[in-house]
Amino acid sequence: MEKPVIMAVDDDPQVLGAVSRDLRRRYGENYRILRADSGANGLAALEDIQERELTVALFLVDQRMPAMSGVDFLSQALPLFPDARRALLTAYADTEAAIRAINEVAIDHYLLKPWDPPEEQLYPVLDDLLDEWQGGYQPPFSGVRVVGHRWSPEAHLLREFLARHQVPYRWINVEQEPEVLSDQERSGSLPLVILEDGTRLPSPTVSDLAERLGLRRQASASHYDLVIVGGGPAGLAAAVYGASEGLKTVMVERKAPGGQAALSSRIENYLGFPAGLSGADLTRRAVTQARRFGVEILSPQEVTALRVQDDYRLLELTDGAELSCHATLLAMGVQWRQLNVPGAERLTGAGVYYGAGLAEAIDYSGSTIYIIGGANSAGQAAMGFSRYAERVVMLVRGSNLEAKMSQYLVDQIALTANIEVALETVVTEVHGEGNLKALTLSTAGEERRVEAHSLFIFIGAVPRTDWLGEGVVRDGRGFLITGPGLNGDALESWPLERPPMLLETSVPGVFAVGDVRAGSVKRVASGVGEGGVAVQLIHRYLSEVGA
C-alpha cells in the first residue's frame, strides 16, 4: 500500500526546499512528501494523485504566491481531498489573510515564517494535524470491514459504534460489491463484519464486536476512589483531573467516549483552537490524556442502579458486576429527543438518524440532506455535511437561527452556497418502505411533500436518569438538581449537618456535572469546567469521610 501524501506548495525555491527537507526528515518514513512550486503545478499533481487512487493527508501551502494565493489553491484542492488537513504558511504581515482563510477554506492552522527550529515551531503543529487525520483515515483493504445493505439499521449501529470508538473500518455495500460474500454467506443474515485477521462475524451485536476488538468492558478492580458515569466532555475532564491528582478512577460509558460532542463536525469557539477542531479529535485527545493518567474506561458498558451503603456508593452494571466507590460523578449528558411523527420510528437507521455521523453523510455524497433543528449541533452538522452533499436543507421550527445558534455558525451558514434554511418549517410525516423516500413538510400551515433519502434530527435533548430511582432528586424534566438548587422537600432526607456542595446531588458523595445537571450551560467548555470543579469538591468530600 502506497503512503499517504503530504504536499508542500511554495513559489520560493529556498523556502520550498527547506520545508520539504524538514518534512522528509520527520515524516518521510510514513508519508510521501510531494512539492510544487506553484498552485497550478500543485493542482496538476493532485490530478495524478487521484488517478493513482492515492490520498492526501496534509497540505502545507504558502499564502503569498503571485499567480495563485494559498487560499485560492486550497479552495480548488479541497473538493478533491476534503478530508486532508490544511496549514497555511504566512509572513507576520499576512496574519489577517490567515484569519480570513480560517473562514473561507477552514484551514486547520497557520504557521508564521520562519519556523525554525522545526522541533518547536513546526513539528508539534503538524503532529497534531496528522494524528487528527489518521483518526479518521480508512486505508484501503485493511482493518475492519462491515458488509451490509445501505438501509440496514443493524449495519448503521455497527458503523456508528466503530466510528465513535475511532476504529478504522471500511463500509461495503453488498449491493455494489456482492463478490465479497461467499455463496453460503449470500443466503445468510447480514451485516457481516470481517476483522483484520480475516475472521468473519455474521450479524454480531455491538457487545460481541466490542469483545472481539479488545475494548474494555470489565473493571480491573471492585473498588475505586471515584466512579464516573458518562464519558462526554464533563466526564472526561473529571477523569483527567481526578486521576492526575491521585484518585483511582474508572469511567463507565454506555456508548462511546465523547458523548454528543464527539459527533460535532467542527467546534470553533473552544478556547485555544482558533481554527476549530472536530468533536472526534477533541475526544481522541481527551481519551488519550485520561488513559495516560491511568483512568480505566469501560465502554460500551452501562450502569443500571445506584445504592448507598454507609460511606460507599455501589453501582450495578448491565452484566451484573458491581463497582464500589467513595464518590460518584454523574456525567451522563443527554440523548436526542425522538421525532414523534408517523414513520419516524420505523425508519430510524434506514434514512432517519439522530445526531450527525459523517459515515452516513458520505453515503449521500452528491444528494440532498435534510436536517431538523436550529441550534449549534444542527448548524455544525450542516457545515460538515455541506462538504459532501450537493444540497443541505435545514428545517427550523423558529423564525430565525439567531435565537438558539451561535453567531459565528449563523454567519458561516449564510456564506455556504449549498445550505438552505427553511424557517417556520416542521416535518409532519416520514414516508418509505424499507428506507426513507419522502417527507411531508408544513410551513405556515401549508403542507407539501418532498423527495428525501436522509433526515438527521437535532430537536433538543432529554436526560436519561430513570435508573437512579427516587433517591436522587430531579426536576420535572429529569435533570439532576445540585447544590443551592436543593431546598425544601428535596432536603428532607439529607443526612449531614452541612448543606450540599455546589455540584453535589441530594445524596452525599454523589455529584453531577454537564448537560445532565439542571441549570447547566449546554456548551463543551462549561462541561469541561464543571468536571474540573467537581474533582475539587470530591477531594473535600473524601477528606470528610476519611477516604
Side-chain angles (χ1 to χ4, degrees):
M1 186 177 65
E2 293 205 49
K3 300 174 183 178
V5 171
I6 295 176
M7 175 173 279
V9 184
D10 199 307
D11 68 316
D12 185 321
Q14 288 186 327
V15 173
L16 185 60
V19 74
S20 300
R21 177 201 65 220
D22 289 341
L23 290 173
R24 286 194 180 92
R25 187 171 65 185
R26 179 78 163 196
Y27 306 109
E29 184 176 346
N30 298 313
Y31 296 88
R32 183 182 178 192
I33 311 302
L34 292 183
R35 50 193 284 178
D37 57 8
S38 70
N41 288 338
L43 292 173
L46 291 181
E47 292 179 5
D48 179 64
I49 290 172
Q50 274 197 315
E51 288 178 4
R52 296 177 59 188
E53 297 185 350
L54 302 179
T55 188
V56 177
L58 172 72
F59 291 111
L60 182 58
V61 185
D62 186 56
Q63 166 59 13
R64 187 174 290 184
M65 294 186 291
M68 180 185 296
S69 73
V71 171
D72 290 338
F73 168 81
L74 288 172
S75 68
Q76 296 182 58
L78 288 179
L80 303 177
F81 296 96
D83 295 323
R85 297 303 178 259
R86 44 267 189 194
L88 202 66
L89 283 172
T90 66
Y92 285 104
D94 287 337
T95 53
E96 286 299 321
I99 292 172
R100 287 199 306 273
I102 291 175
N103 296 322
E104 293 176 17
V105 293
I107 65 166
D108 296 294
H109 209 283
Y110 66 89
L111 294 157
L112 299 179
K113 298 187 290 187
W115 59 85
D116 289 330
E119 288 77 12
E120 296 179 10
Q121 305 297 331
L122 180 68
Y123 296 150
V125 171
L126 300 190
D127 285 349
D128 270 352
L129 293 180
L130 291 169
D131 283 348
E132 180 185 351
W133 179 82
Q134 284 283 357
Y137 174 46
Q138 298 179 16
F141 312 115
S142 65
V144 176
R145 287 173 286 173
V146 181
V147 185
H149 297 286
R150 177 180 178 182
W151 304 114
S152 163
E154 294 79 15
H156 164 70
L157 286 176
L158 293 174
R159 295 173 67 190
E160 181 184 46
F161 166 78
L162 291 168
R164 295 196 61 180
H165 280 85
Q166 300 185 11
V167 177
Y169 76 95
R170 180 188 173 201
W171 163 244
I172 300 175
N173 186 340
V174 70
E175 296 169 3
Q176 297 175 345
E177 301 182 58
E179 67 277 4
V180 301
L181 299 178
S182 66
D183 292 339
Q184 183 178 359
E185 288 169 339
R186 287 192 185 97
S187 60
S189 58
L190 294 176
L192 170 73
V193 174
I194 306 174
L195 302 182
E196 191 168 1
D197 63 2
T199 302
R200 303 168 88 88
L201 307 177
S203 300
T205 65
V206 165
S207 296
D208 293 338
L209 186 54
E211 185 174 347
R212 296 303 295 265
L213 293 174
L215 297 178
R216 171 172 278 185
R217 301 184 68 240
Q218 296 180 335
S220 65
S222 59
H223 180 77
Y224 293 82
D225 297 319
L226 172 62
V227 174
I228 300 171
V229 184
L236 283 166
V240 169
Y241 286 115
S244 67
E245 294 173 10
L247 298 181
K248 186 178 181 182
T249 303
V250 62
M251 187 176 76
V252 185
E253 166 53 44
R254 186 167 67 99
K255 287 189 173 181
Q260 289 187 7
L263 300 177
S264 296
S265 60
R266 209 74 187 161
I267 302 170
E268 299 200 48
N269 57 355
Y270 193 69
L271 186 66
F273 292 86
L277 77 168
S278 68
D281 186 39
L282 178 64
T283 299
R284 177 186 59 80
R285 293 167 185 257
V287 167
T288 301
Q289 196 172 18
R291 285 182 171 146
R292 174 191 163 205
F293 288 118
V295 177
E296 289 185 33
I297 299 177
L298 311 184
S299 176
Q301 184 58 274
E302 188 171 356
V303 178
T304 57
L306 166 69
R307 63 188 177 90
V308 176
Q309 182 176 314
D310 300 324
D311 290 335
Y312 298 95
R313 280 79 192 108
L314 305 173
L315 297 109
E316 185 175 331
L317 306 182
T318 304
D319 60 7
E322 192 171 68
L323 296 178
S324 165
C325 60
H326 288 296
T328 300
L329 183 66
L330 303 176
M332 295 90 70
V334 290
Q335 59 187 12
W336 294 113
R337 190 184 304 277
Q338 303 296 292
L339 179 65
N340 187 23
V341 301
E345 182 177 0
R346 176 169 48 86
L347 294 174
T348 297
V352 176
Y353 307 103
Y354 290 87
L358 285 181
E360 284 76 23
I362 295 171
D363 289 343
Y364 299 104
S365 178
S367 63
T368 297
I369 289 177
Y370 285 87
I371 293 174
I372 302 180
N376 276 11
S377 294
Q380 289 164 347
M383 290 301 301
F385 291 166
S386 70
R387 296 164 55 191
Y388 303 94
E390 179 181 350
R391 178 169 165 254
V392 177
V393 181
M394 297 186 67
L395 308 173
V396 182
R397 179 185 293 271
S399 59
N400 61 69
L401 289 178
E402 287 82 357
K404 294 184 178 179
M405 189 180 293
S406 296
Q407 189 61 46
Y408 80 90
L409 269 175
V410 176
D411 295 340
Q412 287 184 354
I413 288 169
L415 292 171
T416 305
N418 63 336
I419 297 180
E420 301 174 20
V421 180
L423 299 173
E424 299 181 345
T425 300
V426 297
V427 175
T428 58
E429 190 169 355
V430 174
H431 308 276
E433 293 297 328
N435 65 278
L436 177 64
K437 295 292 180 62
L439 303 171
T440 297
L441 307 181
S442 175
T443 304
E446 295 187 7
E447 289 195 341
R448 67 187 189 279
R449 181 163 168 157
V450 298
E451 180 181 353
H453 299 287
S454 60
L455 177 67
F456 292 85
I457 301 169
F458 304 82
I459 54 173
V462 293
R464 189 175 170 279
T465 54
D466 291 346
W467 62 272
L468 288 167
E470 298 180 359
V472 182
V473 174
R474 285 153 281 180
D475 67 11
R477 297 182 298 163
F479 290 92
L480 303 176
I481 301 176
T482 59
L486 292 165
N487 50 56
D489 294 343
L491 288 177
E492 281 189 0
S493 60
W494 180 257
L496 305 180
E497 292 184 6
R498 66 161 176 83
M501 288 185 253
L502 179 65
L503 299 174
E504 197 169 19
T505 68
S506 56
V507 177
V510 177
F511 298 79
V513 294
D515 290 358
V516 77
R517 189 178 68 81
S520 66
V521 178
K522 305 301 188 282
R523 290 289 186 270
V524 172
S526 61
V528 170
E530 285 188 11
V533 171
V535 169
Q536 301 310 307
L537 301 178
I538 288 167
H539 277 296
R540 189 187 308 172
Y541 172 78
L542 293 176
S543 67
E544 291 177 355
V545 298

